[in-house]
Amino acid sequence: MHDPRQLLDPEVDAAAKLRRRGYVLDTDHLSKLVSRRSSVISEGDQARAESKKAAAEVGAAAKRGADVAELRERARELKNRITRLEEEQREVEAELHEFLLGIPNLPLDEIPDGATEEFAEEVRRVGTPPEFDFEPLDHVDLGERAGILDLTRATKLSGPRFAVFKGAGSRLQRALAQFFLDIHIGEHGYTEFSLPALVTRQTMTGTGQLPKFEEDLFRTGVADRELFLIPTAEVPLVNLHAGEILPLEDLPLRYTAHTPCFRSEAGSYGKDTRGLIRQHEFSKVELVQFVEEERSRAALDEILSHAEAPLQRLGLPYRVIKLAAGDTGFSAQITFDVEVWLPSQGTYREISSASDTGTFQARRAGIRGKGKDGKRAQIATLNASGLPIGRTLVAVLENNQQADGSIRIPEALVPYTRFEVINPDGTTA
């Protein structure tokens, strides 16, 4: 959500910034809405002042015993005018609000131009991709042969893009989630939350999923009650403080949660249809921070390092890229993607995104800050995946496979799985 004055400020040049994202800002329409709102507010204030004066005149005339019929008629006309102006103000403010909701965040100048991943800027690579003296299998073949992954029965239950895990596969999922949470809570200072997976339209709007991305969301309801399944825990975590004033002395706030996530993946059919890369339902450990606006860029580097930490512990090779302006998410002003190496594809694939939304989400959700001295401040929010369970499981299986089809468990994860190897038949040792 934007301050319309900022969008119209020539020094900000919001239209040029948004063009980098492929968004054309209709400044003429915005200017007319802002001007109309100011005019209506001014007329309303003037009418209320006149109404107050007319009421005083009616009272004074009545005390004198004068005929007040004409004065009362004038007072009624003013009240009717005030009612009409207030309705017009509500209408123009609603139109302006709806217009602003559809405008993406302004990208930071430091991110590269371009609309796709090929324009991304590689920041660093960590670890060396493994070399195999055999043809490596993908996670589907590895998991199904061992009997720990069943996509056929998942399709029978729910249709395509769902998964069933069994035995060591289920234990590995559970181990990864606990491993991630222990790192983020015990070492990075995050507070864990257990959250609803169903949220309101207002909650989805606060973080920017609505109104633009409604087709990507699963929606449900009972009678006249409408609810949405969360696409990420970022949605409820950020909106925990919707409409609140945060004490500045309490910042930064670092929150985490392990939740199911639901995405329709509208428009992506035909892409990554095999396996666990792009599922309708998956689980993820999410990281969210609330900081003062001026600290958000430094906080982004921090939350990115927190997202990388589990990959380093697991010994998984990855790289970090800075996304181009046209490839940056709607609510973000800058995003770093973390991409893990997948041997079966011979390339790096996204496993986490770390984004600084600046004040964009906080303004939409009505989150503000205030110090003990009365100082008011804008709040910035940041988020990162830390990490998705399914995609991490894919990387663990593929990078640690052996020639006989077994999978070795990374040493850091063994205390959580309580086994070191998944054998080709699904047994563990």
Side-chain angles (χ1 to χ4, degrees):
M1 192 70 167
H2 295 282
D3 180 344
R5 295 169 298 181
Q6 182 190 40
L7 293 176
L8 295 171
D9 186 343
E11 292 188 7
V12 174
D13 200 3
K17 293 180 184 295
L18 289 168
R19 277 196 298 272
R20 299 180 65 211
R21 305 187 61 130
Y23 182 90
V24 178
L25 177 64
D26 190 343
T27 52
D28 288 342
H29 183 58
L30 176 59
S31 181
K32 287 176 183 177
L33 287 174
V34 171
S35 177
R36 182 178 158 209
R37 182 183 64 173
S38 297
S39 176
V40 170
I41 291 173
S42 177
E43 288 181 41
D45 289 343
Q46 183 179 348
R48 279 183 282 273
E50 291 179 12
S51 178
K52 184 177 180 181
K53 181 181 177 181
E57 289 175 351
V58 169
K63 285 183 180 179
R64 296 195 307 269
D67 184 358
V68 297
E70 186 174 339
L71 289 172
R72 282 178 173 165
E73 179 61 27
R74 168 64 176 160
R76 278 194 296 270
E77 290 176 356
L78 285 168
K79 286 183 178 180
N80 289 336
R81 185 178 176 219
I82 290 169
T83 299
R84 290 194 301 272
L85 287 169
E86 287 176 343
E87 177 60 27
E88 186 177 353
Q89 181 180 339
R90 283 192 291 271
E91 289 176 356
V92 70
E93 286 183 342
E95 187 177 351
L96 176 61
H97 182 74
E98 190 67 21
F99 181 80
L100 292 173
L101 283 179
I103 302 173
N105 205 347
L106 303 182
L108 295 186
D109 292 340
E110 71 173 86
I111 67 178
D113 289 327
T116 61
E117 186 177 314
E118 66 181 297
F119 295 97
E121 175 186 315
E122 185 171 299
V123 177
R124 59 180 169 271
R125 295 191 181 198
V126 178
T128 303
E131 295 184 1
F132 299 98
D133 56 6
F134 59 92
E135 186 67 28
L137 301 177
D138 72 2
H139 66 282
V140 177
D141 288 336
L142 286 165
E144 290 188 335
R145 288 185 184 185
I148 63 173
L149 173 65
D150 193 331
L151 298 176
T152 301
R153 286 192 172 94
T155 300
K156 179 172 67 175
L157 294 174
S158 305
R161 296 198 178 189
F162 290 89
V164 166
F165 292 91
K166 175 185 175 184
S170 296
R171 291 171 64 185
L172 183 54
Q173 275 202 314
R174 181 159 38 89
L176 285 167
Q178 191 62 58
F179 175 63
F180 298 158
L181 288 169
D182 283 354
I183 292 174
H184 299 314
I185 296 166
E187 300 178 25
H188 299 152
Y190 287 79
T191 300
E192 183 183 7
F193 285 82
S194 295
L195 302 161
L198 289 165
V199 298
T200 65
R201 177 173 288 271
Q202 182 178 1
T203 298
M204 282 289 191
T205 302
T207 40
Q209 278 73 26
L210 290 177
K212 183 174 177 59
F213 301 105
E214 187 158 351
E215 68 170 6
D216 290 329
L217 304 172
F218 282 100
R219 180 174 59 183
T220 186
V222 175
D224 61 347
R225 188 176 185 187
E226 177 190 58
L227 291 168
F228 293 85
L229 290 161
I230 60 171
T232 166
E234 169 198 345
V235 175
L237 283 174
V238 169
N239 282 281
L240 285 170
H241 293 298
E244 296 182 12
I245 298 176
L246 302 181
L248 297 182
E249 58 271 17
D250 290 348
L251 302 181
L253 297 176
R254 299 185 181 95
Y255 293 168
T256 188
H258 172 226
T259 67
C261 304
F262 305 87
R263 298 181 186 179
S264 73
E265 299 289 357
S268 67
Y269 293 98
K271 300 177 182 177
D272 296 318
T273 55
R274 179 175 168 83
L276 306 176
I277 299 297
R278 201 180 293 272
Q279 295 271 289
H280 288 315
E281 179 181 356
F282 59 96
S283 68
K284 179 159 66 85
V285 172
E286 184 72 5
L287 308 176
V288 162
Q289 290 195 18
F290 299 82
V291 302
E292 288 190 59
E293 179 182 10
E294 58 269 22
R295 193 182 173 276
S296 71
R297 186 60 185 81
L300 177 60
D301 292 335
E302 178 184 80
I303 202 171
L304 175 60
S305 72
H306 294 165
E308 293 178 67
L311 293 173
Q312 294 170 4
R313 304 289 180 83
L314 294 172
L316 295 172
Y318 68 91
R319 71 169 185 166
V320 177
I321 60 173
K322 184 189 295 184
L323 295 189
D327 198 30
T328 300
F330 180 84
S331 296
Q333 60 182 9
I334 179 173
T335 295
F336 289 94
D337 270 4
V338 181
E339 300 183 333
V340 70
W341 178 260
L342 295 186
S344 68
Q345 299 184 18
T347 190
Y348 293 95
R349 295 301 305 271
E350 179 197 340
I351 196 168
S352 176
S353 286
S355 297
D356 173 9
T357 74
T359 63
F360 186 81
Q361 289 182 334
R363 289 180 61 86
R364 290 173 76 102
I367 304 169
R368 295 164 291 165
K370 186 176 181 181
K372 288 182 178 179
D373 58 359
K375 170 194 171 187
R376 295 184 179 274
Q378 293 291 325
I379 299 297
T381 60
L382 304 100
N383 62 81
S385 300
L387 296 162
I389 309 307
R391 290 195 181 192
T392 308
L393 187 147
V394 169
V396 167
L397 295 183
E398 292 197 7
N399 282 279
N400 293 281
Q401 62 181 294
Q402 308 298 304
D404 63 355
S406 63
I407 300 105
R408 293 203 169 275
I409 302 303
E411 184 178 347
L413 202 57
V414 170
Y416 295 86
T417 60
R418 298 186 181 181
F419 55 79
E420 298 179 356
V421 177
I422 301 176
N423 293 316
D425 62 357
T427 60
T428 59

Coordinates of all heavy atoms in Angstrom, one line a residue, residues 9-68:
D9 N 5.0 12.4 -6.1 CA 6.1 13.2 -5.9 C 7.1 13.1 -7.0 O 7.6 12.0 -7.3 CB 6.8 12.8 -4.6 CG 7.9 13.8 -4.2 OD1 8.4 14.6 -5.0 OD2 8.3 13.8 -3.0
P10 N 7.4 14.2 -7.8 CA 8.3 14.1 -8.9 C 9.7 13.6 -8.5 O 10.4 13.0 -9.3 CB 8.4 15.6 -9.4 CG 7.1 16.2 -8.9 CD 6.8 15.6 -7.6
E11 N 10.1 13.9 -7.2 CA 11.4 13.5 -6.8 C 11.5 12.0 -6.6 O 12.6 11.4 -6.8 CB 11.8 14.2 -5.5 CG 12.0 15.7 -5.6 CD 12.6 16.3 -4.4 OE1 12.9 15.6 -3.4 OE2 12.7 17.6 -4.3
V12 N 10.4 11.4 -6.2 CA 10.4 9.9 -6.1 C 10.3 9.2 -7.5 O 11.0 8.2 -7.7 CB 9.1 9.5 -5.3 CG1 9.0 8.0 -5.2 CG2 9.2 10.0 -3.9
D13 N 9.6 9.8 -8.4 CA 9.5 9.3 -9.8 C 9.0 7.9 -9.7 O 9.6 7.0 -10.3 CB 10.8 9.4 -10.5 CG 10.6 9.4 -12.1 OD1 9.4 9.3 -12.5 OD2 11.6 9.4 -12.8
A14 N 7.9 7.7 -9.0 CA 7.4 6.3 -8.9 C 7.0 5.7 -10.2 O 7.2 4.4 -10.4 CB 6.1 6.4 -8.0
A15 N 6.5 6.4 -11.1 CA 6.1 5.9 -12.4 C 7.3 5.2 -13.1 O 7.2 4.1 -13.7 CB 5.5 6.9 -13.3
A16 N 8.5 5.8 -13.1 CA 9.7 5.3 -13.7 C 10.1 4.0 -12.9 O 10.5 3.0 -13.6 CB 10.8 6.3 -13.7
K17 N 10.0 4.0 -11.6 CA 10.4 2.8 -10.8 C 9.5 1.7 -11.2 O 10.0 0.5 -11.3 CB 10.4 3.2 -9.3 CG 11.4 4.2 -8.9 CD 11.3 4.4 -7.4 CE 12.2 5.5 -6.9 NZ 13.6 5.1 -7.0
L18 N 8.2 1.9 -11.3 CA 7.3 0.9 -11.5 C 7.4 0.3 -12.9 O 7.1 -0.8 -13.2 CB 5.8 1.4 -11.2 CG 5.5 1.6 -9.8 CD1 4.2 2.3 -9.6 CD2 5.4 0.2 -9.0
R19 N 7.8 1.2 -13.9 CA 8.0 0.7 -15.2 C 9.1 -0.4 -15.3 O 9.0 -1.3 -16.1 CB 8.4 1.9 -16.2 CG 7.2 2.7 -16.7 CD 7.6 3.5 -17.9 NE 8.6 4.5 -17.5 CZ 8.3 5.7 -17.1 NH1 7.1 6.1 -16.9 NH2 9.3 6.6 -16.8
R20 N 10.0 -0.3 -14.3 CA 11.1 -1.4 -14.3 C 10.4 -2.7 -13.9 O 11.0 -3.8 -14.2 CB 12.1 -1.0 -13.2 CG 12.9 0.3 -13.5 CD 13.9 0.5 -12.4 NE 14.9 -0.5 -12.4 CZ 15.6 -0.9 -11.3 NH1 15.3 -0.5 -10.1 NH2 16.5 -1.9 -11.4
R21 N 9.3 -2.7 -13.3 CA 8.6 -3.9 -13.0 C 7.6 -4.3 -14.0 O 6.9 -5.4 -13.9 CB 7.8 -3.8 -11.7 CG 8.6 -3.3 -10.5 CD 7.7 -3.3 -9.2 NE 7.3 -4.7 -9.0 CZ 7.4 -5.3 -7.8 NH1 7.9 -4.7 -6.8 NH2 7.0 -6.5 -7.7
G22 N 7.5 -3.5 -15.1 CA 6.5 -3.8 -16.1 C 5.1 -3.3 -15.7 O 4.1 -3.7 -16.4
Y23 N 5.0 -2.4 -14.8 CA 3.7 -1.8 -14.3 C 3.6 -0.4 -14.8 O 4.5 0.4 -14.5 CB 3.6 -1.9 -12.8 CG 2.3 -1.4 -12.3 CD1 1.2 -2.2 -12.2 CD2 2.1 -0.1 -12.0 CE1 -0.1 -1.8 -11.7 CE2 0.9 0.4 -11.5 CZ -0.2 -0.4 -11.4 OH -1.4 0.0 -10.9
V24 N 2.5 0.0 -15.4 CA 2.3 1.3 -15.9 C 1.4 2.0 -14.9 O 0.2 1.7 -14.7 CB 1.7 1.3 -17.3 CG1 1.4 2.8 -17.7 CG2 2.6 0.6 -18.3
L25 N 1.9 3.0 -14.2 CA 1.1 3.8 -13.2 C 0.3 4.9 -14.0 O 0.9 5.7 -14.6 CB 2.1 4.4 -12.2 CG 1.4 5.3 -11.1 CD1 0.4 4.5 -10.3 CD2 2.4 6.0 -10.3
D26 N -1.0 4.9 -13.8 CA -1.8 5.9 -14.4 C -1.8 7.1 -13.4 O -2.7 7.3 -12.6 CB -3.3 5.3 -14.5 CG -4.2 6.2 -15.3 OD1 -3.8 7.4 -15.5 OD2 -5.2 5.8 -15.8
T27 N -0.8 7.9 -13.6 CA -0.7 9.1 -12.7 C -1.8 10.1 -12.9 O -2.2 10.8 -11.9 CB 0.7 9.8 -13.0 OG1 0.8 10.1 -14.4 CG2 1.8 8.9 -12.5
D28 N -2.4 10.2 -14.1 CA -3.5 11.1 -14.3 C -4.7 10.7 -13.5 O -5.3 11.6 -12.8 CB -3.8 11.2 -15.8 CG -2.8 11.9 -16.6 OD1 -2.0 12.7 -16.1 OD2 -2.8 11.7 -17.9
H29 N -5.0 9.4 -13.5 CA -6.2 9.0 -12.8 C -5.9 9.1 -11.3 O -6.8 9.5 -10.5 CB -6.4 7.5 -13.1 CG -7.6 6.9 -12.4 ND1 -8.9 7.5 -12.6 CD2 -7.8 5.9 -11.6 CE1 -9.8 6.8 -11.8 NE2 -9.1 5.8 -11.3
L30 N -4.7 8.8 -10.8 CA -4.4 8.9 -9.4 C -4.5 10.4 -9.0 O -5.0 10.7 -7.9 CB -3.0 8.4 -9.2 CG -2.4 8.5 -7.7 CD1 -3.3 7.8 -6.7 CD2 -1.0 8.0 -7.7
S31 N -3.9 11.3 -9.8 CA -4.0 12.7 -9.4 C -5.4 13.2 -9.3 O -5.7 14.0 -8.4 CB -3.2 13.5 -10.5 OG -3.2 14.8 -10.2
K32 N -6.3 12.7 -10.3 CA -7.7 13.2 -10.2 C -8.4 12.6 -9.0 O -9.2 13.4 -8.3 CB -8.4 12.7 -11.5 CG -8.0 13.4 -12.7 CD -8.7 12.8 -14.0 CE -8.2 13.5 -15.2 NZ -8.8 12.9 -16.5
L33 N -8.1 11.4 -8.6 CA -8.7 10.8 -7.4 C -8.2 11.6 -6.1 O -9.0 11.9 -5.2 CB -8.3 9.4 -7.2 CG -9.0 8.4 -8.2 CD1 -8.4 7.0 -8.0 CD2 -10.5 8.4 -7.9
V34 N -6.9 11.9 -6.0 CA -6.4 12.6 -4.9 C -7.0 14.0 -4.8 O -7.4 14.5 -3.8 CB -4.9 12.7 -5.0 CG1 -4.3 13.6 -3.9 CG2 -4.3 11.3 -4.8
S35 N -7.1 14.7 -6.0 CA -7.6 16.0 -6.1 C -9.1 16.0 -5.7 O -9.5 16.9 -4.9 CB -7.4 16.6 -7.5 OG -8.0 17.9 -7.6
R36 N -9.8 15.1 -6.2 CA -11.2 15.0 -5.9 C -11.5 14.7 -4.4 O -12.4 15.3 -3.8 CB -11.9 13.9 -6.7 CG -13.4 13.7 -6.5 CD -13.9 12.6 -7.4 NE -15.2 12.0 -6.9 CZ -15.6 10.8 -7.1 NH1 -14.8 10.0 -7.7 NH2 -16.7 10.4 -6.6
R37 N -10.7 13.9 -3.8 CA -10.8 13.6 -2.4 C -10.5 14.9 -1.6 O -11.3 15.2 -0.6 CB -9.8 12.5 -1.9 CG -9.9 12.2 -0.5 CD -8.9 11.1 0.0 NE -7.5 11.6 -0.1 CZ -6.5 10.9 0.3 NH1 -6.7 9.7 0.9 NH2 -5.3 11.4 0.2
S38 N -9.4 15.6 -1.9 CA -9.1 16.8 -1.2 C -10.2 17.8 -1.3 O -10.6 18.5 -0.3 CB -7.8 17.4 -1.7 OG -6.7 16.5 -1.5
S39 N -10.8 17.9 -2.5 CA -11.9 18.9 -2.7 C -13.1 18.6 -1.9 O -13.7 19.4 -1.3 CB -12.2 18.9 -4.2 OG -13.3 19.8 -4.5
V40 N -13.5 17.3 -1.9 CA -14.6 16.8 -1.1 C -14.4 17.1 0.4 O -15.3 17.5 1.1 CB -15.0 15.4 -1.4 CG1 -16.0 14.8 -0.5 CG2 -15.4 15.2 -2.9
I41 N -13.2 16.7 0.9 CA -12.9 17.0 2.3 C -13.0 18.4 2.6 O -13.6 18.8 3.7 CB -11.5 16.4 2.6 CG1 -11.6 14.9 2.6 CG2 -11.1 16.9 4.0 CD1 -10.2 14.2 2.7
S42 N -12.5 19.3 1.8 CA -12.5 20.7 2.0 C -14.0 21.2 2.0 O -14.4 22.0 2.9 CB -11.7 21.4 0.9 OG -11.8 22.8 1.1
E43 N -14.8 20.8 1.0 CA -16.2 21.2 1.0 C -16.9 20.7 2.2 O -17.8 21.4 2.7 CB -16.8 20.7 -0.3 CG -16.4 21.3 -1.6 CD -17.1 20.8 -2.8 OE1 -18.3 20.5 -2.7 OE2 -16.4 20.6 -3.8
G44 N -16.6 19.5 2.6 CA -17.3 19.0 3.8 C -17.0 19.8 5.1 O -17.8 20.1 5.9
D45 N -15.7 20.1 5.2 CA -15.3 20.9 6.4 C -16.0 22.3 6.3 O -16.4 22.8 7.4 CB -13.7 21.1 6.4 CG -13.0 19.9 6.7 OD1 -13.6 18.9 7.2 OD2 -11.8 19.8 6.4
Q46 N -16.0 22.9 5.2 CA -16.7 24.2 5.0 C -18.2 24.1 5.4 O -18.8 24.9 6.1 CB -16.5 24.7 3.6 CG -17.1 26.1 3.4 CD -16.9 26.6 2.0 OE1 -16.1 26.1 1.3 NE2 -17.6 27.7 1.7
A47 N -18.8 23.0 4.9 CA -20.3 22.8 5.1 C -20.5 22.6 6.6 O -21.5 23.1 7.2 CB -20.8 21.7 4.3
R48 N -19.6 21.9 7.3 CA -19.8 21.6 8.7 C -19.7 22.9 9.5 O -20.4 23.2 10.5 CB -18.9 20.6 9.2 CG -19.3 19.1 8.9 CD -18.4 18.1 9.5 NE -17.2 17.9 8.7 CZ -17.1 17.1 7.6 NH1 -18.2 16.4 7.3 NH2 -16.0 17.0 6.9
A49 N -18.7 23.8 9.1 CA -18.5 25.1 9.7 C -19.8 25.9 9.6 O -20.3 26.6 10.5 CB -17.3 25.8 9.2
E50 N -20.3 25.9 8.3 CA -21.5 26.7 8.1 C -22.7 26.1 8.8 O -23.6 26.9 9.3 CB -21.8 26.7 6.6 CG -20.8 27.5 5.7 CD -21.1 27.4 4.2 OE1 -22.3 27.0 3.9 OE2 -20.3 27.8 3.4
S51 N -22.8 24.8 9.0 CA -23.9 24.2 9.7 C -23.8 24.6 11.2 O -24.9 24.8 11.8 CB -23.8 22.7 9.5 OG -24.8 22.0 10.3
K52 N -22.6 24.6 11.7 CA -22.5 25.0 13.1 C -22.9 26.4 13.3 O -23.6 26.7 14.3 CB -21.0 24.8 13.5 CG -20.7 25.0 15.0 CD -19.3 24.8 15.3 CE -19.0 25.0 16.8 NZ -17.6 24.8 17.2
K53 N -22.5 27.3 12.4 CA -22.9 28.7 12.5 C -24.4 28.8 12.3 O -25.1 29.6 13.1 CB -22.2 29.5 11.4 CG -22.5 31.0 11.4 CD -21.8 31.7 10.2 CE -22.2 33.1 10.2 NZ -21.5 33.8 9.1
A54 N -25.0 28.1 11.4 CA -26.5 28.1 11.2 C -27.2 27.7 12.5 O -28.3 28.2 12.8 CB -26.9 27.3 10.0
A55 N -26.7 26.6 13.1 CA -27.4 26.1 14.3 C -27.3 27.2 15.4 O -28.3 27.4 16.2 CB -26.7 24.8 14.8
A56 N -26.2 27.9 15.5 CA -26.1 29.0 16.5 C -27.1 30.1 16.2 O -27.7 30.7 17.1 CB -24.7 29.5 16.5
E57 N -27.2 30.4 14.9 CA -28.1 31.5 14.5 C -29.6 31.1 14.8 O -30.4 31.9 15.2 CB -28.0 31.8 13.0 CG -26.7 32.5 12.7 CD -26.5 32.6 11.2 OE1 -27.3 32.1 10.4 OE2 -25.5 33.3 10.8
V58 N -29.9 29.8 14.6 CA -31.3 29.3 14.9 C -31.6 29.5 16.4 O -32.6 30.0 16.8 CB -31.5 27.9 14.5 CG1 -32.8 27.3 15.1 CG2 -31.5 27.8 13.0
G59 N -30.6 29.1 17.2 CA -30.7 29.2 18.7 C -30.9 30.6 19.1 O -31.7 30.9 20.0
A60 N -30.1 31.5 18.6 CA -30.1 32.9 19.0 C -31.4 33.6 18.5 O -32.1 34.3 19.3 CB -29.0 33.7 18.3
A61 N -31.9 33.2 17.3 CA -33.2 33.8 16.8 C -34.3 33.3 17.7 O -35.3 34.1 17.9 CB -33.4 33.4 15.4
A62 N -34.3 32.0 18.0 CA -35.4 31.5 18.9 C -35.5 32.2 20.2 O -36.6 32.4 20.7 CB -35.2 30.0 19.0
K63 N -34.3 32.5 20.8 CA -34.3 33.2 22.1 C -34.9 34.6 22.0 O -35.5 35.1 22.9 CB -32.9 33.3 22.6 CG -32.3 32.0 23.2 CD -30.9 32.2 23.7 CE -30.4 30.9 24.3 NZ -29.0 31.0 24.8
R64 N -34.7 35.2 20.8 CA -35.3 36.6 20.6 C -36.8 36.5 20.3 O -37.4 37.5 20.2 CB -34.5 37.3 19.4 CG -33.1 37.5 19.7 CD -32.5 38.5 18.7 NE -32.8 38.1 17.3 CZ -31.9 37.4 16.6 NH1 -30.8 37.0 17.1 NH2 -32.2 37.0 15.3
G65 N -37.3 35.3 20.0 CA -38.6 35.1 19.6 C -38.9 35.4 18.1 O -40.0 35.6 17.7
A66 N -37.8 35.4 17.4 CA -37.9 35.7 15.9 C -38.4 34.5 15.2 O -38.3 33.3 15.7 CB -36.6 36.2 15.4
D67 N -38.9 34.7 14.0 CA -39.3 33.6 13.1 C -38.0 32.8 12.6 O -37.1 33.4 12.0 CB -40.0 34.1 11.9 CG -40.6 33.0 11.0 OD1 -40.3 31.8 11.3 OD2 -41.3 33.3 10.0
V68 N -37.9 31.5 13.0 CA -36.7 30.8 12.6 C -37.0 29.8 11.5 O -36.1 29.0 11.2 CB -36.2 30.0 13.9 CG1 -35.8 31.0 15.0 CG2 -37.3 29.0 14.4

